[in-house]
Amino acid sequence: MTIDLTAMMTRPVNEEALEAYNDGTAESSADLEDIYPDDPRFPKYPRELRLEKLRDKIELGVLMGRLTPEEAERRAEKMGLTPFKSVPAKISVDGLPDLWTPEMVATWIATKDPMKALRHHFESCQSSAVWLRNMPGRYHSGTAKLLSRAAPSRLFKPGSIHANGYSKVSLTKTSFFDSYYDFDGELCAFPPFHEWFKEVKELLVAEQISSWGMVSDDDPGRKIRPDEWSFASFRQGRSGKVILYIGSAPVYVQIYFLGSEILEKFSLVGSKYRAWRTDTKALRSLSMTRRILIESMQKSDKFAPGFPINRSSKKELNREIWDCITDDGLKEKYAITSDPKFYNFIDETFKAYFEEKDA
């Protein structure tokens, strides 16, 4: 079908419907039909083109701060569009791939979280996209393409108007030498080499962990000899690429480990918990908000054994505690998990709960 775009640009327009469309606040795909009143002289845009334009306008609304990411996702679902945010489904350890990258190994040792490790298996997340808060004075990667399609006049004008907005950003391949965005949109950094690599290297030299390397992108790969690891170090190559040096020579451009062996040597077993009290009096004696917190944790799989007492990252622990809270009012009250008020609330709750009242 041939479309006369010049004629379509001169057709009558419903200004109110057009304004909602341009703001990214149209409520449904049917609203697009209202922009151009029925007129036999003018053909309609093909449905695919209309939905593509609507999708761009919704994303533009989030970029400009007129819509929240949550509102955009609800509208996409209502209009039958694919979600803007796209990340892999939550997995357990069994869902991880057989071969692990060095970044996966480092992240697993630091977090024991299969989803955080999966972030560094690029084949599993190369089509992922998340919402990121706009940066002052500049755009995230990929935003210029959206603006060139949806709002060319704003292409080079990032400013205060974007301060409350978010950008949809595709996740890229990670490297030890750069920070990265996780599936939750958080900016993360890898643990320092001295916190994990020494122990891994000792296991490799002792042949308790296996590894494979490729000397080029076309190389089928070979097993890395244990004695090579005695002189091995990770260094940064072009574009942040991780290179494994043997002595002073760059040798391997891709490195993999057997995931089952990493899981065996660095298992989840070993986390220590303070078991929940069995007497109901301890829970009844708490204030309502503290009781909600304890009950939410007890119902979650992550905290079923009790309260963790040997977690190295309090920030990560508090975020996990917040995630398991089921009461909307409590979550809204402590929406910023890094706020000292939330830290104090958790500390005071557990002091009150575990205190021996009858002692």
Side-chain angles (χ1 to χ4, degrees):
M1 179 176 66
T2 301
I3 302 295
D4 186 346
L5 294 179
T6 302
M8 295 184 75
M9 291 175 66
T10 60
R11 69 188 298 180
V13 171
N14 180 327
E15 295 293 343
E16 184 177 345
L18 181 61
E19 182 179 355
Y21 170 70
N22 285 335
D23 283 347
T25 56
E27 290 292 341
S28 71
S29 58
D31 291 347
L32 270 70
E33 305 289 351
D34 298 333
I35 296 175
Y36 299 109
D38 288 336
D39 190 324
R41 296 174 300 165
F42 300 100
K44 291 185 176 181
Y45 282 111
R47 176 176 173 78
E48 294 77 12
L49 182 58
R50 295 201 310 273
L51 293 180
E52 182 181 327
K53 286 181 172 292
L54 177 59
R55 185 179 180 83
D56 281 348
K57 288 298 182 181
I58 295 175
E59 188 177 341
L60 181 65
V62 179
L63 176 70
M64 306 302 290
R66 298 187 182 118
L67 295 172
T68 66
E70 293 75 19
E71 288 171 334
E73 297 294 353
R74 286 196 294 269
R75 293 185 183 191
E77 182 179 6
K78 185 177 180 180
M79 298 176 186
L81 304 174
T82 56
F84 291 95
K85 180 179 179 180
S86 175
V87 297
K90 191 171 183 178
I91 62 166
S92 65
V93 169
D94 295 335
L96 290 168
D98 294 332
L99 293 179
W100 289 20
T101 63
E103 290 85 356
M104 291 178 68
V105 174
T107 302
W108 173 258
I109 293 173
T111 68
K112 301 297 192 298
D113 186 325
M115 286 303 292
K116 290 188 178 299
L118 187 69
R119 171 64 183 90
H120 309 294
H121 185 256
F122 187 58
E123 289 75 9
S124 298
C125 57
Q126 58 185 333
S127 60
S128 297
V130 297
W131 292 108
L132 302 179
R133 183 172 285 281
N134 290 340
M135 299 180 292
R138 62 193 182 97
Y139 292 124
H140 285 287
S141 174
T143 303
K145 292 181 180 179
L146 167 67
L147 291 172
S148 66
R149 298 192 305 268
S153 63
R154 298 171 182 155
L155 183 55
F156 300 110
K157 299 178 182 178
S160 59
I161 193 172
H162 306 91
N164 297 321
Y166 287 76
S167 300
K168 183 175 74 74
V169 176
S170 297
L171 297 183
T172 57
K173 194 170 185 177
T174 59
S175 164
F176 280 134
F177 305 101
D178 290 307
S179 56
Y180 62 92
Y181 289 104
D182 211 340
F183 292 134
D184 57 6
E186 291 288 324
L187 184 63
C188 303
F190 288 98
F193 283 105
H194 70 266
E195 292 184 3
W196 66 275
F197 187 45
K198 182 176 183 293
E199 186 175 1
V200 170
K201 189 156 65 169
E202 289 173 351
L203 291 170
L204 287 160
V205 173
E207 299 186 59
Q208 296 185 40
I209 295 177
S210 306
S211 61
W212 288 263
M214 299 166 61
V215 298
S216 70
D217 292 335
D218 299 325
D219 180 28
R222 65 175 178 83
K223 193 169 184 178
I224 301 175
R225 300 194 317 272
D227 61 286
E228 289 182 284
W229 283 105
S230 299
F231 310 98
S233 62
F234 289 110
R235 303 187 194 180
Q236 185 174 11
R238 292 181 179 178
S239 302
K241 190 169 186 177
V242 173
I243 307 294
L244 183 67
Y245 276 63
I246 307 300
S248 59
V251 179
Y252 299 106
V253 297
Q254 292 189 44
I255 308 95
Y256 296 98
F257 302 88
L258 195 59
S260 59
E261 294 178 343
I262 299 297
L263 291 171
E264 180 184 349
K265 298 301 179 183
F266 302 95
S267 68
L268 282 167
V269 177
S271 296
K272 296 181 180 179
Y273 298 88
R274 184 168 183 179
W276 302 114
R277 297 180 64 171
T278 56
D279 60 302
T280 57
K281 181 181 178 182
L283 195 59
R284 292 200 309 270
S285 66
L286 299 177
S287 66
M288 180 61 70
T289 54
R290 291 177 177 178
R291 194 183 312 161
I292 290 172
L293 175 64
I294 296 294
E295 289 177 338
S296 296
M297 293 185 68
Q298 289 175 333
K299 293 175 182 178
S300 72
D301 294 337
K302 187 179 288 289
F303 299 107
F307 181 72
I309 58 176
N310 66 335
R311 291 287 294 273
S312 58
S313 173
K314 195 169 185 178
K315 178 181 177 181
E316 190 70 22
L317 173 61
N318 285 356
R319 185 156 48 202
E320 292 175 6
I321 292 174
W322 188 88
D323 286 341
C324 80
I325 295 174
T326 55
D327 184 84
D328 292 338
L330 189 58
K331 296 195 84 162
E332 184 177 352
K333 182 177 181 180
Y334 296 106
I336 303 176
T337 59
S338 59
D339 192 314
K341 291 181 180 179
F342 187 55
Y343 279 60
N344 293 336
F345 171 60
I346 292 174
D347 288 343
E348 293 301 320
T349 297
F350 287 101
K351 284 179 183 177
Y353 175 78
F354 284 112
E355 179 183 6
E356 294 293 341
K357 301 284 190 304
D358 298 328

